[in-house]
Amino acid sequence: KQWYQRRVAITAGGDALQLKFCIVSMFCCSRKMFDKLFERFTLTSSTVKEEVVEEEDMTTILPEPCKSGLLQITVHSGKNLRKADIFGKGDPYVVIKVNRVKIHTTVVKYGTDSPRFEESVHCILSDINDSKLAFEVYDKDMIGVDDTIGCAFVNLFKKPSIVNSALLLSLPDINECGSLYVSVSFTPMTIIRPPSPDAHH
């Protein structure tokens, strides 16, 4: 089997555009099927010239969007964090959770309300469409339970990538708890499958 690349030159309104339409062999077993699929790629009010180039296919790369991938998270710093204790400044640290599962805890920064962390962690996501990222900031206490300074959440489906952005921390009864600066990057996995034994005739 071979796969076909159809290069299409389009002239519309005096401007020339170049499009490449590719279908891999697992979705195209014959030239006839290729032509049928290509007909769905309709173009209106355009002059179309096409050229078909046949090439050998050594691997099959799936073109559909991949929901799984590598998630990398960096906690940069905090600013004007809420005081959880009456006296002195706080001793903040951050807990990172993905879908309510803790994946990382930063070191404690003592005696500051504007800490600098610069800590990174990465994990594998099975489905970004249903994933939520949580940042929980706590104040370390020598005695008793650590106080919660504030929390922030990121919907990874809507924001799969942010760079050194400020997240506003809050609690159910407190709206302003300071800001946390973070970066988030999602890299989809590329699925590569070897060709089937009968891929070439």
Side-chain angles (χ1 to χ4, degrees):
K1 297 177 183 177
Q2 294 176 321
W3 63 288
Y4 303 94
Q5 285 188 160
R6 179 160 289 190
R7 296 186 178 93
V8 183
I10 304 172
T11 304
D15 295 328
L17 306 176
Q18 293 291 330
L19 296 180
K20 181 185 289 186
F21 186 82
C22 301
I23 300 178
V24 295
S25 62
M26 68 179 298
F27 297 109
C28 179
C29 298
S30 67
R31 175 65 182 276
K32 183 178 180 181
M33 183 181 294
F34 176 85
D35 290 334
K36 288 183 178 180
L37 290 171
F38 184 76
E39 287 176 1
R40 299 181 183 178
F41 188 76
T42 57
L43 300 167
T44 58
S45 302
S46 302
T47 301
V48 179
K49 296 180 181 179
E50 56 180 281
E51 173 190 0
V52 177
V53 180
E54 299 182 3
E55 298 181 6
E56 293 289 331
D57 180 27
M58 300 304 296
T59 59
T60 299
I61 303 177
L62 302 188
E64 72 271 13
C66 191
K67 299 177 182 179
S68 61
L70 178 67
L71 180 68
Q72 182 159 343
I73 307 159
T74 300
V75 179
H76 297 290
S77 60
K79 185 176 181 181
N80 298 328
L81 300 182
R82 182 181 69 87
K83 289 182 61 175
D85 295 328
I86 298 176
F87 301 104
K89 294 183 179 181
D91 305 316
Y93 65 94
V94 182
V95 174
I96 304 173
K97 294 182 179 180
V98 176
N99 297 330
R100 300 184 180 181
V101 177
K102 181 168 65 176
I103 63 170
H104 184 70
T105 301
T106 69
V107 299
V108 179
K109 298 296 182 178
Y110 292 95
T112 178
D113 60 359
S114 295
R116 188 149 192 98
F117 298 101
E118 295 299 343
E119 293 190 32
S120 298
V121 65
H122 62 269
C123 65
I124 300 297
L125 284 183
S126 59
D127 188 351
I128 193 174
N129 294 342
D130 192 29
S131 295
K132 194 173 185 179
L133 182 60
F135 297 91
E136 301 174 354
V137 184
Y138 294 92
D139 178 35
K140 183 68 176 179
D141 284 342
M142 299 301 295
I143 301 175
V145 180
D146 296 345
D147 299 316
T148 304
I149 294 176
C151 303
F153 303 92
V154 176
N155 186 324
L156 293 173
F157 177 70
K158 294 181 179 179
K159 293 184 177 181
S161 180
I162 56 178
V163 179
N164 203 6
S165 297
L167 303 180
L168 298 179
L169 301 170
S170 63
L171 289 173
D173 54 344
I174 305 175
N175 291 329
E176 297 182 3
C177 300
S179 301
L180 188 68
Y181 288 80
V182 304
S183 294
V184 177
S185 176
F186 176 73
T187 304
M189 289 183 177
T190 300
I191 302 176
I192 300 178
R193 297 175 181 173
S196 59
D198 61 343
H200 301 283
H201 295 298

mmCIF file with all atom_site columns, all heavy atoms in Angstrom, residues 7-8 10 24 32 43 62 70 89 101 105 112 120 128 133-135 141 144 168-169 174 176 185 194 198:
data_model
loop_
_atom_site.group_PDB
_atom_site.id
_atom_site.type_symbol
_atom_site.label_atom_id
_atom_site.label_alt_id
_atom_site.label_comp_id
_atom_site.label_asym_id
_atom_site.label_entity_id
_atom_site.label_seq_id
_atom_site.pdbx_PDB_ins_code
_atom_site.Cartn_x
_atom_site.Cartn_y
_atom_site.Cartn_z
_atom_site.occupancy
_atom_site.B_iso_or_equiv
_atom_site.pdbx_formal_charge
_atom_site.auth_seq_id
_atom_site.auth_comp_id
_atom_site.auth_asym_id
_atom_site.auth_atom_id
_atom_site.pdbx_PDB_model_num
ATOM 1   N N   . ARG A 1 7   ? -1.370  17.860 -3.258 1.00 0.00 ? 7   ARG A N   1
ATOM 2   C CA  . ARG A 1 7   ? -1.045  19.270 -3.096 1.00 0.00 ? 7   ARG A CA  1
ATOM 3   C C   . ARG A 1 7   ? -1.992  20.087 -3.960 1.00 0.00 ? 7   ARG A C   1
ATOM 4   O O   . ARG A 1 7   ? -2.123  19.843 -5.148 1.00 0.00 ? 7   ARG A O   1
ATOM 5   C CB  . ARG A 1 7   ? 0.406   19.533 -3.489 1.00 0.00 ? 7   ARG A CB  1
ATOM 6   C CG  . ARG A 1 7   ? 1.408   18.822 -2.602 1.00 0.00 ? 7   ARG A CG  1
ATOM 7   C CD  . ARG A 1 7   ? 2.828   19.249 -2.959 1.00 0.00 ? 7   ARG A CD  1
ATOM 8   N NE  . ARG A 1 7   ? 3.791   18.605 -2.076 1.00 0.00 ? 7   ARG A NE  1
ATOM 9   C CZ  . ARG A 1 7   ? 4.396   17.465 -2.351 1.00 0.00 ? 7   ARG A CZ  1
ATOM 10  N NH1 . ARG A 1 7   ? 4.116   16.850 -3.492 1.00 0.00 ? 7   ARG A NH1 1
ATOM 11  N NH2 . ARG A 1 7   ? 5.274   16.942 -1.524 1.00 0.00 ? 7   ARG A NH2 1
ATOM 12  N N   . VAL A 1 8   ? -2.613  21.071 -3.363 1.00 0.00 ? 8   VAL A N   1
ATOM 13  C CA  . VAL A 1 8   ? -3.624  21.840 -4.068 1.00 0.00 ? 8   VAL A CA  1
ATOM 14  C C   . VAL A 1 8   ? -3.215  23.305 -4.107 1.00 0.00 ? 8   VAL A C   1
ATOM 15  O O   . VAL A 1 8   ? -2.934  23.899 -3.067 1.00 0.00 ? 8   VAL A O   1
ATOM 16  C CB  . VAL A 1 8   ? -4.993  21.712 -3.359 1.00 0.00 ? 8   VAL A CB  1
ATOM 17  C CG1 . VAL A 1 8   ? -6.049  22.466 -4.153 1.00 0.00 ? 8   VAL A CG1 1
ATOM 18  C CG2 . VAL A 1 8   ? -5.367  20.249 -3.212 1.00 0.00 ? 8   VAL A CG2 1
ATOM 19  N N   . ILE A 1 10  ? -4.508  26.965 -4.794 1.00 0.00 ? 10  ILE A N   1
ATOM 20  C CA  . ILE A 1 10  ? -5.798  27.657 -4.845 1.00 0.00 ? 10  ILE A CA  1
ATOM 21  C C   . ILE A 1 10  ? -5.558  29.126 -5.170 1.00 0.00 ? 10  ILE A C   1
ATOM 22  O O   . ILE A 1 10  ? -4.723  29.782 -4.550 1.00 0.00 ? 10  ILE A O   1
ATOM 23  C CB  . ILE A 1 10  ? -6.532  27.554 -3.493 1.00 0.00 ? 10  ILE A CB  1
ATOM 24  C CG1 . ILE A 1 10  ? -6.687  26.084 -3.098 1.00 0.00 ? 10  ILE A CG1 1
ATOM 25  C CG2 . ILE A 1 10  ? -7.885  28.231 -3.564 1.00 0.00 ? 10  ILE A CG2 1
ATOM 26  C CD1 . ILE A 1 10  ? -7.214  25.929 -1.704 1.00 0.00 ? 10  ILE A CD1 1
ATOM 27  N N   . VAL A 1 24  ? -3.086  8.866  5.472  1.00 0.00 ? 24  VAL A N   1
ATOM 28  C CA  . VAL A 1 24  ? -2.135  7.771  5.616  1.00 0.00 ? 24  VAL A CA  1
ATOM 29  C C   . VAL A 1 24  ? -2.774  6.471  5.189  1.00 0.00 ? 24  VAL A C   1
ATOM 30  O O   . VAL A 1 24  ? -3.983  6.353  5.045  1.00 0.00 ? 24  VAL A O   1
ATOM 31  C CB  . VAL A 1 24  ? -1.637  7.682  7.079  1.00 0.00 ? 24  VAL A CB  1
ATOM 32  C CG1 . VAL A 1 24  ? -0.845  8.906  7.442  1.00 0.00 ? 24  VAL A CG1 1
ATOM 33  C CG2 . VAL A 1 24  ? -2.798  7.490  8.023  1.00 0.00 ? 24  VAL A CG2 1
ATOM 34  N N   . LYS A 1 32  ? -9.048  4.958  -5.206 1.00 0.00 ? 32  LYS A N   1
ATOM 35  C CA  . LYS A 1 32  ? -10.465 5.289  -5.307 1.00 0.00 ? 32  LYS A CA  1
ATOM 36  C C   . LYS A 1 32  ? -10.996 5.830  -3.990 1.00 0.00 ? 32  LYS A C   1
ATOM 37  O O   . LYS A 1 32  ? -11.718 6.828  -3.953 1.00 0.00 ? 32  LYS A O   1
ATOM 38  C CB  . LYS A 1 32  ? -11.255 4.052  -5.732 1.00 0.00 ? 32  LYS A CB  1
ATOM 39  C CG  . LYS A 1 32  ? -12.741 4.308  -5.940 1.00 0.00 ? 32  LYS A CG  1
ATOM 40  C CD  . LYS A 1 32  ? -13.448 3.040  -6.407 1.00 0.00 ? 32  LYS A CD  1
ATOM 41  C CE  . LYS A 1 32  ? -14.940 3.288  -6.620 1.00 0.00 ? 32  LYS A CE  1
ATOM 42  N NZ  . LYS A 1 32  ? -15.635 2.070  -7.049 1.00 0.00 ? 32  LYS A NZ  1
ATOM 43  N N   . LEU A 1 43  ? -13.999 23.218 -1.713 1.00 0.00 ? 43  LEU A N   1
ATOM 44  C CA  . LEU A 1 43  ? -13.533 24.588 -1.770 1.00 0.00 ? 43  LEU A CA  1
ATOM 45  C C   . LEU A 1 43  ? -14.486 25.371 -2.665 1.00 0.00 ? 43  LEU A C   1
ATOM 46  O O   . LEU A 1 43  ? -14.774 24.939 -3.768 1.00 0.00 ? 43  LEU A O   1
ATOM 47  C CB  . LEU A 1 43  ? -12.121 24.655 -2.337 1.00 0.00 ? 43  LEU A CB  1
ATOM 48  C CG  . LEU A 1 43  ? -11.055 23.879 -1.538 1.00 0.00 ? 43  LEU A CG  1
ATOM 49  C CD1 . LEU A 1 43  ? -9.775  23.765 -2.362 1.00 0.00 ? 43  LEU A CD1 1
ATOM 50  C CD2 . LEU A 1 43  ? -10.770 24.579 -0.235 1.00 0.00 ? 43  LEU A CD2 1
ATOM 51  N N   . LEU A 1 62  ? -0.628  8.561  13.388 1.00 0.00 ? 62  LEU A N   1
ATOM 52  C CA  . LEU A 1 62  ? -2.048  8.845  13.488 1.00 0.00 ? 62  LEU A CA  1
ATOM 53  C C   . LEU A 1 62  ? -2.282  10.348 13.506 1.00 0.00 ? 62  LEU A C   1
ATOM 54  O O   . LEU A 1 62  ? -1.706  11.064 14.318 1.00 0.00 ? 62  LEU A O   1
ATOM 55  C CB  . LEU A 1 62  ? -2.613  8.224  14.777 1.00 0.00 ? 62  LEU A CB  1
ATOM 56  C CG  . LEU A 1 62  ? -2.417  6.713  14.911 1.00 0.00 ? 62  LEU A CG  1
ATOM 57  C CD1 . LEU A 1 62  ? -3.188  6.209  16.113 1.00 0.00 ? 62  LEU A CD1 1
ATOM 58  C CD2 . LEU A 1 62  ? -2.864  5.989  13.671 1.00 0.00 ? 62  LEU A CD2 1
ATOM 59  N N   . LEU A 1 70  ? 2.358   14.714 27.939 1.00 0.00 ? 70  LEU A N   1
ATOM 60  C CA  . LEU A 1 70  ? 3.210   15.109 29.058 1.00 0.00 ? 70  LEU A CA  1
ATOM 61  C C   . LEU A 1 70  ? 2.816   16.498 29.553 1.00 0.00 ? 70  LEU A C   1
ATOM 62  O O   . LEU A 1 70  ? 2.765   17.449 28.776 1.00 0.00 ? 70  LEU A O   1
ATOM 63  C CB  . LEU A 1 70  ? 4.672   15.111 28.620 1.00 0.00 ? 70  LEU A CB  1
ATOM 64  C CG  . LEU A 1 70  ? 5.695   15.544 29.682 1.00 0.00 ? 70  LEU A CG  1
ATOM 65  C CD1 . LEU A 1 70  ? 5.757   14.521 30.815 1.00 0.00 ? 70  LEU A CD1 1
ATOM 66  C CD2 . LEU A 1 70  ? 7.069   15.715 29.048 1.00 0.00 ? 70  LEU A CD2 1
ATOM 67  N N   . LYS A 1 89  ? 5.556   37.091 59.526 1.00 0.00 ? 89  LYS A N   1
ATOM 68  C CA  . LYS A 1 89  ? 5.229   36.686 58.167 1.00 0.00 ? 89  LYS A CA  1
ATOM 69  C C   . LYS A 1 89  ? 5.065   35.176 58.099 1.00 0.00 ? 89  LYS A C   1
ATOM 70  O O   . LYS A 1 89  ? 5.486   34.443 58.986 1.00 0.00 ? 89  LYS A O   1
ATOM 71  C CB  . LYS A 1 89  ? 6.309   37.145 57.201 1.00 0.00 ? 89  LYS A CB  1
ATOM 72  C CG  . LYS A 1 89  ? 6.394   38.668 57.076 1.00 0.00 ? 89  LYS A CG  1
ATOM 73  C CD  . LYS A 1 89  ? 7.433   39.077 56.058 1.00 0.00 ? 89  LYS A CD  1
ATOM 74  C CE  . LYS A 1 89  ? 7.487   40.601 55.916 1.00 0.00 ? 89  LYS A CE  1
ATOM 75  N NZ  . LYS A 1 89  ? 8.490   41.029 54.907 1.00 0.00 ? 89  LYS A NZ  1
ATOM 76  N N   . VAL A 1 101 ? -5.203  14.412 42.915 1.00 0.00 ? 101 VAL A N   1
ATOM 77  C CA  . VAL A 1 101 ? -4.083  13.559 43.328 1.00 0.00 ? 101 VAL A CA  1
ATOM 78  C C   . VAL A 1 101 ? -2.834  14.425 43.470 1.00 0.00 ? 101 VAL A C   1
ATOM 79  O O   . VAL A 1 101 ? -2.431  15.120 42.532 1.00 0.00 ? 101 VAL A O   1
ATOM 80  C CB  . VAL A 1 101 ? -3.830  12.442 42.299 1.00 0.00 ? 101 VAL A CB  1
ATOM 81  C CG1 . VAL A 1 101 ? -2.614  11.606 42.707 1.00 0.00 ? 101 VAL A CG1 1
ATOM 82  C CG2 . VAL A 1 101 ? -5.060  11.564 42.157 1.00 0.00 ? 101 VAL A CG2 1
ATOM 83  N N   . THR A 1 105 ? 5.067   18.685 46.195 1.00 0.00 ? 105 THR A N   1
ATOM 84  C CA  . THR A 1 105 ? 5.036   19.681 47.265 1.00 0.00 ? 105 THR A CA  1
ATOM 85  C C   . THR A 1 105 ? 6.345   20.458 47.238 1.00 0.00 ? 105 THR A C   1
ATOM 86  O O   . THR A 1 105 ? 7.432   19.848 47.255 1.00 0.00 ? 105 THR A O   1
ATOM 87  C CB  . THR A 1 105 ? 4.855   19.030 48.643 1.00 0.00 ? 105 THR A CB  1
ATOM 88  O OG1 . THR A 1 105 ? 3.629   18.280 48.653 1.00 0.00 ? 105 THR A OG1 1
ATOM 89  C CG2 . THR A 1 105 ? 4.800   20.084 49.736 1.00 0.00 ? 105 THR A CG2 1
ATOM 90  N N   . THR A 1 112 ? 8.343   34.939 54.732 1.00 0.00 ? 112 THR A N   1
ATOM 91  C CA  . THR A 1 112 ? 8.104   35.798 53.573 1.00 0.00 ? 112 THR A CA  1
ATOM 92  C C   . THR A 1 112 ? 6.658   35.677 53.109 1.00 0.00 ? 112 THR A C   1
ATOM 93  O O   . THR A 1 112 ? 6.047   34.618 53.246 1.00 0.00 ? 112 THR A O   1
ATOM 94  C CB  . THR A 1 112 ? 9.048   35.446 52.411 1.00 0.00 ? 112 THR A CB  1
ATOM 95  O OG1 . THR A 1 112 ? 8.756   36.280 51.286 1.00 0.00 ? 112 THR A OG1 1
ATOM 96  C CG2 . THR A 1 112 ? 8.881   33.990 52.004 1.00 0.00 ? 112 THR A CG2 1
ATOM 97  N N   . SER A 1 120 ? 9.854   22.713 39.407 1.00 0.00 ? 120 SER A N   1
ATOM 98  C CA  . SER A 1 120 ? 9.108   22.122 38.289 1.00 0.00 ? 120 SER A CA  1
ATOM 99  C C   . SER A 1 120 ? 8.832   20.656 38.554 1.00 0.00 ? 120 SER A C   1
ATOM 100 O O   . SER A 1 120 ? 9.574   19.971 39.257 1.00 0.00 ? 120 SER A O   1
ATOM 101 C CB  . SER A 1 120 ? 9.893   22.268 36.980 1.00 0.00 ? 120 SER A CB  1
ATOM 102 O OG  . SER A 1 120 ? 10.089  23.630 36.645 1.00 0.00 ? 120 SER A OG  1
ATOM 103 N N   . ILE A 1 128 ? -6.540  14.916 28.660 1.00 0.00 ? 128 ILE A N   1
ATOM 104 C CA  . ILE A 1 128 ? -6.518  16.329 29.041 1.00 0.00 ? 128 ILE A CA  1
ATOM 105 C C   . ILE A 1 128 ? -7.913  16.939 29.059 1.00 0.00 ? 128 ILE A C   1
ATOM 106 O O   . ILE A 1 128 ? -8.168  17.928 29.735 1.00 0.00 ? 128 ILE A O   1
ATOM 107 C CB  . ILE A 1 128 ? -5.598  17.136 28.104 1.00 0.00 ? 128 ILE A CB  1
ATOM 108 C CG1 . ILE A 1 128 ? -5.331  18.535 28.684 1.00 0.00 ? 128 ILE A CG1 1
ATOM 109 C CG2 . ILE A 1 128 ? -6.204  17.228 26.708 1.00 0.00 ? 128 ILE A CG2 1
ATOM 110 C CD1 . ILE A 1 128 ? -4.334  19.346 27.902 1.00 0.00 ? 128 ILE A CD1 1
ATOM 111 N N   . LEU A 1 133 ? -6.183  21.064 37.258 1.00 0.00 ? 133 LEU A N   1
ATOM 112 C CA  . LEU A 1 133 ? -4.949  21.305 37.994 1.00 0.00 ? 133 LEU A CA  1
ATOM 113 C C   . LEU A 1 133 ? -5.241  22.225 39.171 1.00 0.00 ? 133 LEU A C   1
ATOM 114 O O   . LEU A 1 133 ? -5.922  23.242 39.025 1.00 0.00 ? 133 LEU A O   1
ATOM 115 C CB  . LEU A 1 133 ? -3.920  21.937 37.062 1.00 0.00 ? 133 LEU A CB  1
ATOM 116 C CG  . LEU A 1 133 ? -2.527  22.239 37.589 1.00 0.00 ? 133 LEU A CG  1
ATOM 117 C CD1 . LEU A 1 133 ? -1.840  20.969 38.069 1.00 0.00 ? 133 LEU A CD1 1
ATOM 118 C CD2 . LEU A 1 133 ? -1.711  22.907 36.484 1.00 0.00 ? 133 LEU A CD2 1
ATOM 119 N N   . ALA A 1 134 ? -4.738  21.862 40.355 1.00 0.00 ? 134 ALA A N   1
ATOM 120 C CA  . ALA A 1 134 ? -4.985  22.652 41.562 1.00 0.00 ? 134 ALA A CA  1
ATOM 121 C C   . ALA A 1 134 ? -3.663  23.041 42.214 1.00 0.00 ? 134 ALA A C   1
ATOM 122 O O   . ALA A 1 134 ? -2.732  22.231 42.303 1.00 0.00 ? 134 ALA A O   1
ATOM 123 C CB  . ALA A 1 134 ? -5.840  21.870 42.551 1.00 0.00 ? 134 ALA A CB  1
ATOM 124 N N   . PHE A 1 135 ? -3.601  24.290 42.664 1.00 0.00 ? 135 PHE A N   1
ATOM 125 C CA  . PHE A 1 135 ? -2.467  24.794 43.433 1.00 0.00 ? 135 PHE A CA  1
ATOM 126 C C   . PHE A 1 135 ? -2.985  25.208 44.800 1.00 0.00 ? 135 PHE A C   1
ATOM 127 O O   . PHE A 1 135 ? -3.810  26.120 44.912 1.00 0.00 ? 135 PHE A O   1
ATOM 128 C CB  . PHE A 1 135 ? -1.819  25.999 42.734 1.00 0.00 ? 135 PHE A CB  1
ATOM 129 C CG  . PHE A 1 135 ? -1.224  25.684 41.393 1.00 0.00 ? 135 PHE A CG  1
ATOM 130 C CD1 . PHE A 1 135 ? -1.986  25.811 40.239 1.00 0.00 ? 135 PHE A CD1 1
ATOM 131 C CD2 . PHE A 1 135 ? 0.089   25.266 41.275 1.00 0.00 ? 135 PHE A CD2 1
ATOM 132 C CE1 . PHE A 1 135 ? -1.449  25.529 38.998 1.00 0.00 ? 135 PHE A CE1 1
ATOM 133 C CE2 . PHE A 1 135 ? 0.640   24.969 40.035 1.00 0.00 ? 135 PHE A CE2 1
ATOM 134 C CZ  . PHE A 1 135 ? -0.130  25.103 38.895 1.00 0.00 ? 135 PHE A CZ  1
ATOM 135 N N   . ASP A 1 141 ? 3.233   25.467 59.983 1.00 0.00 ? 141 ASP A N   1
ATOM 136 C CA  . ASP A 1 141 ? 3.178   25.730 61.426 1.00 0.00 ? 141 ASP A CA  1
ATOM 137 C C   . ASP A 1 141 ? 4.036   24.724 62.165 1.00 0.00 ? 141 ASP A C   1
ATOM 138 O O   . ASP A 1 141 ? 4.064   23.537 61.808 1.00 0.00 ? 141 ASP A O   1
ATOM 139 C CB  . ASP A 1 141 ? 1.735   25.658 61.930 1.00 0.00 ? 141 ASP A CB  1
ATOM 140 C CG  . ASP A 1 141 ? 0.932   26.885 61.567 1.00 0.00 ? 141 ASP A CG  1
ATOM 141 O OD1 . ASP A 1 141 ? 1.553   27.921 61.246 1.00 0.00 ? 141 ASP A OD1 1
ATOM 142 O OD2 . ASP A 1 141 ? -0.308  26.814 61.581 1.00 0.00 ? 141 ASP A OD2 1
ATOM 143 N N   . GLY A 1 144 ? 0.635   21.878 65.350 1.00 0.00 ? 144 GLY A N   1
ATOM 144 C CA  . GLY A 1 144 ? -0.708  21.769 64.810 1.00 0.00 ? 144 GLY A CA  1
ATOM 145 C C   . GLY A 1 144 ? -0.733  21.635 63.297 1.00 0.00 ? 144 GLY A C   1
ATOM 146 O O   . GLY A 1 144 ? 0.282   21.411 62.638 1.00 0.00 ? 144 GLY A O   1
ATOM 147 N N   . LEU A 1 168 ? -4.904  34.033 40.807 1.00 0.00 ? 168 LEU A N   1
ATOM 148 C CA  . LEU A 1 168 ? -5.403  34.652 42.023 1.00 0.00 ? 168 LEU A CA  1
ATOM 149 C C   . LEU A 1 168 ? -5.837  33.571 43.004 1.00 0.00 ? 168 LEU A C   1
ATOM 150 O O   . LEU A 1 168 ? -6.674  32.730 42.686 1.00 0.00 ? 168 LEU A O   1
ATOM 151 C CB  . LEU A 1 168 ? -6.569  35.593 41.704 1.00 0.00 ? 168 LEU A CB  1
ATOM 152 C CG  . LEU A 1 168 ? -6.241  36.784 40.792 1.00 0.00 ? 168 LEU A CG  1
ATOM 153 C CD1 . LEU A 1 168 ? -7.491  37.618 40.538 1.00 0.00 ? 168 LEU A CD1 1
ATOM 154 C CD2 . LEU A 1 168 ? -5.141  37.648 41.405 1.00 0.00 ? 168 LEU A CD2 1
ATOM 155 N N   . LEU A 1 169 ? -5.260  33.613 44.191 1.00 0.00 ? 169 LEU A N   1
ATOM 156 C CA  . LEU A 1 169 ? -5.597  32.651 45.235 1.00 0.00 ? 169 LEU A CA  1
ATOM 157 C C   . LEU A 1 169 ? -6.841  33.094 45.980 1.00 0.00 ? 169 LEU A C   1
ATOM 158 O O   . LEU A 1 169 ? -7.073  34.291 46.177 1.00 0.00 ? 169 LEU A O   1
ATOM 159 C CB  . LEU A 1 169 ? -4.432  32.496 46.215 1.00 0.00 ? 169 LEU A CB  1
ATOM 160 C CG  . LEU A 1 169 ? -3.104  32.029 45.610 1.00 0.00 ? 169 LEU A CG  1
ATOM 161 C CD1 . LEU A 1 169 ? -1.989  32.146 46.638 1.00 0.00 ? 169 LEU A CD1 1
ATOM 162 C CD2 . LEU A 1 169 ? -3.218  30.602 45.106 1.00 0.00 ? 169 LEU A CD2 1
ATOM 163 N N   . ILE A 1 174 ? -12.916 33.948 51.555 1.00 0.00 ? 174 ILE A N   1
ATOM 164 C CA  . ILE A 1 174 ? -11.964 35.045 51.362 1.00 0.00 ? 174 ILE A CA  1
ATOM 165 C C   . ILE A 1 174 ? -11.620 35.116 49.877 1.00 0.00 ? 174 ILE A C   1
ATOM 166 O O   . ILE A 1 174 ? -11.112 34.146 49.306 1.00 0.00 ? 174 ILE A O   1
ATOM 167 C CB  . ILE A 1 174 ? -10.674 34.834 52.190 1.00 0.00 ? 174 ILE A CB  1
ATOM 168 C CG1 . ILE A 1 174 ? -11.003 34.644 53.666 1.00 0.00 ? 174 ILE A CG1 1
ATOM 169 C CG2 . ILE A 1 174 ? -9.725  36.016 52.008 1.00 0.00 ? 174 ILE A CG2 1
ATOM 170 C CD1 . ILE A 1 174 ? -9.782  34.317 54.526 1.00 0.00 ? 174 ILE A CD1 1
ATOM 171 N N   . GLU A 1 176 ? -9.516  37.508 48.257 1.00 0.00 ? 176 GLU A N   1
ATOM 172 C CA  . GLU A 1 176 ? -8.164  37.927 47.915 1.00 0.00 ? 176 GLU A CA  1
ATOM 173 C C   . GLU A 1 176 ? -7.165  37.329 48.901 1.00 0.00 ? 176 GLU A C   1
ATOM 174 O O   . GLU A 1 176 ? -7.114  37.722 50.060 1.00 0.00 ? 176 GLU A O   1
ATOM 175 C CB  . GLU A 1 176 ? -8.058  39.455 47.909 1.00 0.00 ? 176 GLU A CB  1
ATOM 176 C CG  . GLU A 1 176 ? -8.946  40.121 46.861 1.00 0.00 ? 176 GLU A CG  1
ATOM 177 C CD  . GLU A 1 176 ? -8.784  41.633 46.856 1.00 0.00 ? 176 GLU A CD  1
ATOM 178 O OE1 . GLU A 1 176 ? -7.947  42.137 47.631 1.00 0.00 ? 176 GLU A OE1 1
ATOM 179 O OE2 . GLU A 1 176 ? -9.492  42.295 46.078 1.00 0.00 ? 176 GLU A OE2 1
ATOM 180 N N   . SER A 1 185 ? 2.610   23.580 30.693 1.00 0.00 ? 185 SER A N   1
ATOM 181 C CA  . SER A 1 185 ? 2.811   23.213 29.296 1.00 0.00 ? 185 SER A CA  1
ATOM 182 C C   . SER A 1 185 ? 2.376   21.770 29.084 1.00 0.00 ? 185 SER A C   1
ATOM 183 O O   . SER A 1 185 ? 2.807   20.873 29.812 1.00 0.00 ? 185 SER A O   1
ATOM 184 C CB  . SER A 1 185 ? 4.284   23.376 28.903 1.00 0.00 ? 185 SER A CB  1
ATOM 185 O OG  . SER A 1 185 ? 4.508   22.928 27.585 1.00 0.00 ? 185 SER A OG  1
ATOM 186 N N   . PRO A 1 194 ? 4.317   0.784  13.542 1.00 0.00 ? 194 PRO A N   1
ATOM 187 C CA  . PRO A 1 194 ? 5.020   0.248  12.377 1.00 0.00 ? 194 PRO A CA  1
ATOM 188 C C   . PRO A 1 194 ? 4.018   -0.213 11.326 1.00 0.00 ? 194 PRO A C   1
ATOM 189 O O   . PRO A 1 194 ? 2.876   -0.532 11.649 1.00 0.00 ? 194 PRO A O   1
ATOM 190 C CB  . PRO A 1 194 ? 5.794   -0.944 12.963 1.00 0.00 ? 194 PRO A CB  1
ATOM 191 C CG  . PRO A 1 194 ? 5.006   -1.339 14.167 1.00 0.00 ? 194 PRO A CG  1
ATOM 192 C CD  . PRO A 1 194 ? 4.437   -0.063 14.729 1.00 0.00 ? 194 PRO A CD  1
ATOM 193 N N   . ASP A 1 198 ? 1.668   -6.461 5.297  1.00 0.00 ? 198 ASP A N   1
ATOM 194 C CA  . ASP A 1 198 ? 1.231   -6.343 3.902  1.00 0.00 ? 198 ASP A CA  1
ATOM 195 C C   . ASP A 1 198 ? 1.114   -4.897 3.465  1.00 0.00 ? 198 ASP A C   1
ATOM 196 O O   . ASP A 1 198 ? 0.372   -4.566 2.550  1.00 0.00 ? 198 ASP A O   1
ATOM 197 C CB  . ASP A 1 198 ? -0.118  -7.037 3.719  1.00 0.00 ? 198 ASP A CB  1
ATOM 198 C CG  . ASP A 1 198 ? -1.187  -6.408 4.596  1.00 0.00 ? 198 ASP A CG  1
ATOM 199 O OD1 . ASP A 1 198 ? -0.834  -5.693 5.544  1.00 0.00 ? 198 ASP A OD1 1
ATOM 200 O OD2 . ASP A 1 198 ? -2.380  -6.647 4.312  1.00 0.00 ? 198 ASP A OD2 1
#
